[in-house]
Amino acid sequence: MTVNPAHTTLWPAPHASGAVDATVHVPGSKSVTNRALVLAALASEPGWLRRPLRSRDTLLMAEALRTMGVEIEEGVGPEGTGEFWRVIPAGLRGPATVDVGNAGTVMRFLPPVATLADGTVRFDGDPRSYERPLHGVIDALRALGARIDDDARGALPMTVHGGGALEGGPVEIDASSSSQFVSALLLSGPRFNQGVEVRHTGSALPSMPHIRMTVDMLRAVGAQVDTPESGGEPNVWRVTPGALLGRDLTIEPDLSNAQPFLAAALVTGGRVVIPDWPSRTTQPGDRLREIFTEMGGSCELTDYGLVFTGSGAVRGIDVDLGEVGELTPGIAAVAALADSPSTLRGVAHLRLHETDRLAALTKEINELGGDVTETADGLHIRPRRLHGGVFHTYEDHRMATAGAIIGLAVEGVQIENVATTAKTLPDFPDLWTGMLGA
């Protein structure tokens, strides 16, 4: 077997010699980009995505749609407007093979799309993708009339036998392991003959902001969506069948990917500006303003963007991250450098993400001298003096950025496979060293 050199290379995490003072332009949101690609592909007319994120996950999504017949043109707009993708919908078709990599959005959002294709669509991906839960989408699509071959695994690899249409209608699912199960069905719902009514029957739904993002984006392209927040039943979402409009959409910066840079200001007692931070957003990363303020910083939202300033002290926190679980690795890294203990709750579902993030954070921080214990639904972190060492990433982009945060305050931290950040944050090493003035 050939070993990817990037997986074995150790990246010396830069150590901050003083307070950070930088402006960091964070690339576009992965969550918004991939939802926008799906909606544009299902629309009745061409649409535009401006400033889309170009990362492994979004390029996998774009290529997957192309394999099913969607035309996506790439270009660069006038100065200051950045890149754009023009999405031209077409009749979805097979046979096609989709490489999902290890992207949850690709492996979950596209099987419903594939049911609308004329022909078979096979889904495959990285070895870790075989371990990630997909049963919610597979079982739901079968209940709605789709034919899927997965050898009864409830996981990849699998083949969807598209019939050019799907009847749709009411369906019950347990989405407690991933809110993406709900979003996946809602995104394609307008194209089902009867639309779709998704009823969640399990325990608490994680990452609710991502479902709200899906609903807002559906409504923006003309879909009619009834939700619990709009007076509907609890845990029930209904999408009416109908045509979707092409849109001219500018992608917001990825606020979750702004986390390590804001953490740098907090950890070093410095100042970081993130341009174009939206005043209203459904992105979970917006919670960072509240969480990192409680941990010792202060922020100001201006017309230019978010200005975040560290006080020089980092405080521990007791916080429920159930709705914003993707922020857990970065918060854990900051908590390991705090002056008091922290408890991170509500994130048992992180055991099913790119890696088992709770076990990985516990192991890696403790191997640098930390004191982290897993709880039933999170982590308890007691600050201790840390030392250098190798911080393994498990091919998980947020593990890599968590290690980089610790490296700011602890000399001698080496990040294994920092290239995994390309999943959602291309050029992270250059952005990081640039922030430090290197």
Side-chain angles (χ1 to χ4, degrees), residues 215 219 225-238:
V215 169
R219 288 172 172 163
V225 189
D226 296 323
T227 71
E229 292 87 353
S230 60
E233 294 179 63
N235 291 324
V236 178
W237 293 262
R238 294 184 182 89

Side-chain angles (χ1 to χ4, degrees), residues 11 31 241 276 372 379:
W11 182 65
S31 298
D276 303 318
V372 182
L379 299 172

